Amino acid sequence: MSNCKDIPVKILVVGDSGVGKTHLSSILTDVSDSMKSAQCKWTIGANVEILIHKYKQGTPEEDLYFCELWDVSGNLAHTTSRSVFFNNFHGVIFVHNLTNRKSLENIRGWSEEVLDGDQESGANVPLILVGTRLNDVMKDKKTLVEERSRRMSEELGSVLVNLDCSDKKALSPGSAVKIAFSKFFDRVVEQTIARQQRIKRISTGWNTSGSTSFRGGKKSD
Amino acid sequence: MSFSTDTFFMFAVMLFAFCFGWVFFLHYLFKNYECHNRGAQIIFSSVFSLSFSLLVLIIFEILDILNRDSRKLHWKVNLFLILFECVVVIPYSIFYFLCNIHPLFFRYRRPVAISGLMIWLWIFWSFGSPFPFNVSGLIEPVISRVGVLGVTMMAILSGFGAVNSPYSYSAYFLRQVTEDDIECIEKKLLNTFNVIVSKKKRFAMIRHEAYSRHGRPATSGWFSSMRGPPSPPINIPKEEIHELNSYEELSRQLYLELVDLHNTKKRISESKTIKGRWFNFLGYFFSIYCAYKIFMCTINIIFDRVGKKDPITQGSEILTHRLGMDVDLTAFAQPLSFMMVGVLVLTSIRGLLINLTKFFYAISSSETSNAIVMFFAQLMGMYFVSSVLLMRMNVPPEYREIITEVLGESLQFKFYHRWFDIIFLISALLSILFLYIAHKQAPEKMMDKNLAQFKLSSAFD
C-alpha cells in the first residue's frame, strides 16, 4: 500500500445483459481463477475489480494508482436500483456485443442513464466504447459492423476499441488494444486528480472566506 | 359459399394471424436481440397462426359461417399440421438451437438434433401407457398425449393465476415501504462495497508485489494470461478469500432486497391512483372467485362428478327451476355461446402471450433465445389444442358434435376434465403455500440484514 496512491478512481462498466462486461473486467484486471468468487452467469448488482495502473508510464511522474472497475448488472428490471452505483465516477466503459446490433443501439439509452443521472460526474468524463465477440462476426459483415460502432463512438465522443476477449494475443503489451486502454486509464486518473484539486481549492476557499460570511450573516439577523 | 371461397377466407385468416405472430416475435419477444435465424421466427409465427385459426373455427362453428364440410376439412388439416409441428418440427429445432450454445456440439448439430428427436418421440409415446388412451389410428393417440400435456400446463397456469391475481391486485398484501427503508438499504449496500473494494485493493497490491519480486514488470496484469512461466505463488490466506466471497454474496442479497423495495414502493404509489383502486377492487373479486373455484374443484373430485352441462344450459336451468323465472336461455344459445367463447379465446390468447413474454425476458440470454422461443412455441401449440378440447364443455350440445367428431369419438373427454380439476387443485394449493412462505420470509430477511450490518460496523471499529 505504500507506493500506490489511494485516491478513489471509479470507472463504470455498463452495457446490455450478456455482452461480456464481467469477462472484460476480469481479463483487464487479471484475476486468477482461485480468486474468482462463485461464477454467476449473470451479474446481480455489481462486481468490483481492482486494477493497478501505471499512470504516465515511462515519465518521471510515473505513479501507481488503484482503478476500481464497477461492472454493473445490465438486467432490464433493475433500472431504479442501479442508480445507487452511478454517482461519483470518473470514467465509463460502454460494452456492446458486435454480433448483436440491438446492444449497440441500446448504448444510447445507457449513456443517458449513466451520464445524465449524475450531472457533476457526467460532464467531461472520459468514455470508451468496447465491442466484444470480434471473432464471432461473419467476414462479410465485418466492415458494416465496424462502421456502425465507429459512428456510435463519434456520437458519444468516446474512444473505440473492438476486441475478441478470448484471444490472448489481442491483449499483449504493445498491441493497439492495450495502448488504447492505457491511454484511457491515464485520462481517467488525470481527471480524478484534477477534480480532487478543484475540490481542495473550493474547500480551502470556504475556510478563508467562510468565517467572514458567517459573521456577515449574523450581523444581519 | 363454395369450397374455394371458404378456403380463401380461411387462408386470409391464417395469413393475418401469421403476420401478427411475426410482428409480435420481432417487436416484443426479440426486442433486445438480433434475429439471426429466420427459421425460428417462421416456426413461431406458423404455430401461432394455426392455433389462432383453430380457435376461430370454433367461433365459425357457432355462428355457422362457411360451409359445414369445408369447416370439417379445415379442422382436420389444421389439427394435423399443428400436431406435426408440436411433435416433430419443434423438438427437432429445439435440439438444433441448443447445439449452437456449446462449440463442441456445434459441429454435430444435425445428428444430435435427430437423435434428440428420436428420444423425444420414444418418451412421448411411452408415457401414454398409464393413461386411458386408445391405440388405434394415428391422430387419436397423438392428440390424447398432446392433450394431457396441454391440460396439465393449463391447469398449472390457471391454478397459479387464480391464487396470484388476488395477491398481486389487492393492496392488502403490500408491505409498507418508506424512503428511509430504501436509504438505509442503499447505505448498507455501499458500505459493503467499500469493504469489498478495500479488501480487493489489498489483494491486488499483494499480487502486484509478488509479480514484481519475480522480475516481471506487471502493471495492469495481462501477463499471466500469456504463455510463459507459471504465475508466482500468491500468499493470500484462504480464510480471507472466503471472507471476501461472503461479503460479495451479502452485497448481492442487499441489492436484491433493494430491488424488491423499489418495486414495492412503485406498487404502493400505483395503488393510490384510480387504476390502482380499481385493481384493488378486482383483487377482492378475484379472491372470492378463486375460493369458489377451489371449492368447486374439491367437490368435483370428492363426489366424482364431471360437469355435464355447459354454463348456458345450466344457467337457464337455475333461472327456471330455482328462481322460478320462466326464461329459456337456450333460445339465445347462439349469441351467448359466441360471446362466451369469444371472450374465453381472447383472454386466453392475451394471457398466454403476456405470460410468455414475461418469462422470456426473465430467462433468456442472447445464446439461448432461439431455443427458448421454440420451447414457448411448443407450449403455445399444446395449450391451444387442449383449450379446444376443454372448450367442448363450455358449448351447448349442438356445437359439440364437430369437436367430438374431429378430435376422435373415443377420446375420453371426462378424463381430461377430471385431470384438469386435480392438477388445478394441486397447483392452487402449492401456490398458496409458496406465496405464504415468500410473504413471510420478507420481514425475516430484514432481520438478517440487521445482523449483517451489526457485523459490518464492528469490522470498521
Side-chain angles (χ1 to χ4, degrees):
Chain A
M1 285 294 210
S2 50
N3 53 345
C4 199
K5 290 266 164 47
D6 200 9
I7 309 179
V9 180
K10 183 167 165 181
I11 303 176
L12 299 177
V13 182
V14 291
D16 276 359
S17 185
V19 294
K21 303 183 288 292
T22 314
H23 193 164
L24 177 69
S25 49
S26 64
I27 58 171
L28 280 177
T29 56
D30 188 35
V31 180
S32 65
D33 286 324
S34 61
M35 302 260 295
K36 278 195 187 135
S37 44
Q39 292 281 345
C40 297
K41 174 124 205 265
W42 295 295
T43 318
I44 301 177
N47 286 333
V48 187
E49 298 297 346
I50 304 290
L51 159 68
I52 296 186
H53 178 64
K54 260 194 185 169
Y55 175 57
K56 291 205 176 158
Q57 187 171 7
T59 66
E61 300 156 1
E62 179 180 305
D63 224 338
L64 294 177
Y65 281 89
F66 281 121
C67 292
E68 306 164 18
L69 294 183
W70 288 64
D71 145 44
V72 180
S73 129
N75 201 322
L76 297 159
H78 295 170
T79 324
T80 346
S81 326
R82 270 202 289 266
S83 49
V84 72
F85 299 123
F86 295 161
N87 48 11
N88 258 339
F89 54 88
H90 309 103
V92 186
I93 301 181
F94 291 109
V95 187
H96 71 105
N97 186 342
L98 287 167
T99 58
N100 185 349
R101 187 174 172 177
K102 298 255 170 76
S103 66
L104 180 63
E105 287 165 13
N106 288 341
I107 296 281
R108 268 189 216 105
W110 280 108
S111 70
E112 271 171 31
E113 193 182 328
V114 172
L115 299 177
D116 298 341
D118 185 350
Q119 291 293 343
E120 193 206 294
S121 305
N124 301 324
V125 131
L127 309 171
I128 186 168
L129 178 66
V130 178
T132 55
R133 304 267 178 96
L134 183 62
N135 52 325
D136 285 334
V137 177
M138 291 188 279
K139 295 266 186 311
D140 46 342
K141 283 202 172 174
K142 228 176 190 168
T143 33
L144 177 64
V145 155
E146 281 173 0
E147 175 61 31
R148 260 191 251 140
S149 37
R150 198 182 54 77
R151 257 184 277 138
M152 177 62 79
S153 77
E154 278 171 11
E155 193 180 314
L156 286 176
S158 74
V159 176
L160 175 64
V161 165
N162 286 333
L163 75 146
D164 165 19
C165 292
S166 55
D167 183 7
K168 312 219 163 110
K169 278 193 240 140
L171 303 169
S172 50
S175 70
V177 172
K178 192 197 168 195
I179 293 180
F181 271 116
S182 282
K183 280 198 191 149
F184 171 71
F185 289 131
D186 273 351
R187 280 174 57 208
V188 170
V189 173
E190 223 176 277
Q191 271 265 309
T192 320
I193 300 176
R195 209 191 281 180
Q196 279 252 324
Q197 289 173 341
R198 237 192 353 253
I199 294 176
K200 264 196 205 146
R201 260 184 277 135
I202 295 178
S203 61
T204 44
W206 268 115
N207 281 336
T208 49
S209 64
S211 41
T212 42
S213 59
F214 188 61
R215 248 186 274 135
K218 255 191 163 174
K219 263 191 193 158
S220 60
D221 274 351
Chain B
M1 283 217 220
S2 73
F3 183 69
S4 49
T5 39
D6 287 349
T7 319
F8 181 72
F9 191 56
M10 272 316 294
F11 190 70
V13 168
M14 285 172 67
L15 195 64
F16 164 74
F18 187 86
C19 296
F20 182 83
W22 187 272
V23 166
F24 176 77
F25 184 96
L26 215 48
H27 289 285
Y28 283 94
L29 283 182
F30 263 48
K31 204 166 66 160
N32 293 316
Y33 306 116
E34 199 175 332
C35 185
H36 291 292
N37 204 321
R38 288 290 176 204
Q41 203 170 0
I42 293 176
I43 294 178
F44 182 85
S45 313
S46 58
V47 170
F48 181 78
S49 127
L50 288 169
S51 319
F52 184 74
S53 30
L54 259 188
L55 296 172
V56 159
L57 277 169
I58 300 185
I59 298 186
F60 283 177
E61 195 59 43
I62 298 176
L63 292 178
D64 206 18
I65 297 180
L66 302 187
N67 198 354
R68 197 177 183 285
D69 291 323
S70 54
R71 272 204 306 258
K72 202 155 113 182
L73 180 68
H74 281 291
W75 269 111
K76 295 210 157 144
V77 167
N78 213 322
L79 208 55
F80 178 76
L81 282 176
I82 206 175
L83 288 173
F84 181 71
E85 275 208 73
C86 279
V87 175
V88 177
V89 176
I90 295 187
Y92 175 80
S93 52
I94 291 181
F95 283 113
Y96 187 84
F97 288 130
L98 281 177
C99 287
N100 282 346
I101 298 179
H102 205 277
L104 185 64
F105 287 118
F106 189 74
R107 277 189 293 158
Y108 302 110
R109 43 185 209 260
R110 285 224 172 79
V112 172
I114 293 181
S115 33
L117 178 65
M118 292 297 142
I119 298 177
W120 153 260
L121 285 175
W122 182 78
I123 297 178
F124 185 70
W125 201 258
S126 48
F127 100 91
S129 38
F131 295 104
F133 289 153
N134 199 352
V135 205
S136 64
L138 180 63
I139 294 230
E140 272 190 38
V142 176
I143 292 190
S144 23
R145 285 166 175 77
V146 168
V148 169
L149 287 175
V151 165
T152 315
M153 206 182 75
M154 279 181 80
I156 293 179
L157 284 178
S158 323
F160 182 70
V163 172
N164 196 33
S165 41
Y167 183 76
S168 44
Y169 277 6
S170 58
Y172 177 74
F173 297 106
L174 282 181
R175 289 179 290 141
Q176 284 309 318
V177 170
T178 60
E179 274 296 328
D180 289 338
D181 290 333
I182 293 186
E183 262 186 52
C184 179
I185 294 275
E186 282 183 353
K187 273 203 211 117
K188 283 184 203 166
L189 186 63
L190 291 176
N191 280 341
T192 319
F193 271 111
N194 285 339
V195 173
I196 294 176
V197 165
S198 57
K199 278 193 189 300
K200 284 205 165 172
K201 281 184 180 169
R202 210 157 48 83
F203 293 168
M205 205 58 214
I206 296 177
R207 264 201 332 265
H208 178 85
E209 280 167 4
Y211 279 139
S212 38
R213 246 183 281 128
H214 276 68
R216 285 213 240 139
T219 52
S220 18
W222 276 300
F223 281 91
S224 66
S225 54
M226 287 186 61
R227 280 182 228 108
S231 28
I234 300 173
N235 337 337
I236 300 177
K238 276 229 158 37
E239 305 88 55
E240 300 217 15
I241 298 185
H242 285 314
E243 209 185 330
L244 178 69
N245 288 345
S246 49
Y247 272 115
E248 288 191 321
E249 188 58 40
L250 175 66
S251 77
R252 282 190 271 272
Q253 303 275 5
L254 284 174
Y255 182 75
L256 288 176
E257 179 79 25
L258 181 68
V259 168
D260 199 31
L261 285 182
H262 273 295
N263 284 340
T264 315
K265 182 152 168 281
K266 200 168 105 175
R267 276 182 59 198
I268 293 179
S269 61
E270 274 175 0
S271 75
K272 303 214 170 84
T273 62
I274 295 182
K275 180 174 157 195
R277 277 191 241 268
W278 165 244
F279 271 24
N280 194 15
F281 170 72
L282 276 184
Y284 287 119
F285 174 73
F286 278 141
S287 46
I288 300 175
Y289 176 70
C290 163
Y292 166 74
K293 276 219 84 162
I294 295 184
F295 180 68
M296 285 310 293
C297 261
T298 328
I299 300 272
N300 278 344
I301 294 178
I302 296 180
F303 292 117
D304 195 31
R305 87 182 182 167
V306 179
K308 287 205 176 91
K309 304 201 195 89
D310 58 288
I312 294 179
T313 326
Q314 203 163 28
S316 130
E317 267 185 24
I318 293 180
L319 283 177
T320 351
H321 295 302
R322 308 285 177 82
L323 298 178
M325 289 198 262
D326 194 14
V327 172
D328 187 15
L329 279 179
T330 45
F332 299 106
Q334 196 192 38
L336 277 178
S337 326
F338 164 68
M339 275 195 317
M340 210 171 56
V341 169
V343 165
L344 277 173
V345 161
L346 285 175
T347 44
S348 65
I349 294 181
R350 182 179 168 273
L352 186 73
L353 287 181
I354 289 180
N355 281 320
L356 278 187
T357 322
K358 264 198 260 178
F359 273 127
F360 187 73
Y361 284 161
I363 310 177
S364 74
S365 71
S366 53
E367 292 157 7
T368 54
S369 53
N370 280 329
I372 293 183
V373 88
M374 286 291 93
F375 180 65
F376 283 166
Q378 175 147 31
L379 290 183
M380 188 166 67
M382 290 198 197
Y383 183 87
F384 285 125
V385 167
S386 337
S387 56
V388 165
L389 222 151
L390 291 178
M391 214 175 272
R392 199 178 144 275
M393 265 338 281
N394 280 327
V395 234
E398 54 261 36
Y399 303 125
R400 286 185 202 169
E401 274 177 41
I402 194 162
I403 302 184
T404 324
E405 215 178 309
V406 171
L407 292 180
E409 305 275 343
S410 52
L411 213 57
Q412 310 271 32
F413 290 106
K414 286 191 198 157
F415 164 74
Y416 289 106
H417 290 286
R418 166 61 36 76
W419 185 252
F420 181 89
D421 283 337
I422 296 176
I423 302 283
F424 176 83
L425 195 65
I426 296 177
S427 157
L429 292 175
L430 280 179
S431 322
I432 292 181
L433 188 68
F434 171 72
L435 282 176
Y436 178 75
I437 294 178
H439 191 69
K440 278 289 170 212
Q441 218 188 29
E444 278 168 16
K445 265 202 247 169
M446 296 292 291
M447 274 201 21
D448 283 343
K449 293 301 162 295
N450 286 336
L451 278 176
Q453 171 66 356
F454 183 68
K455 264 199 224 165
L456 257 182
S457 48
S458 55
F460 273 117
D461 293 336

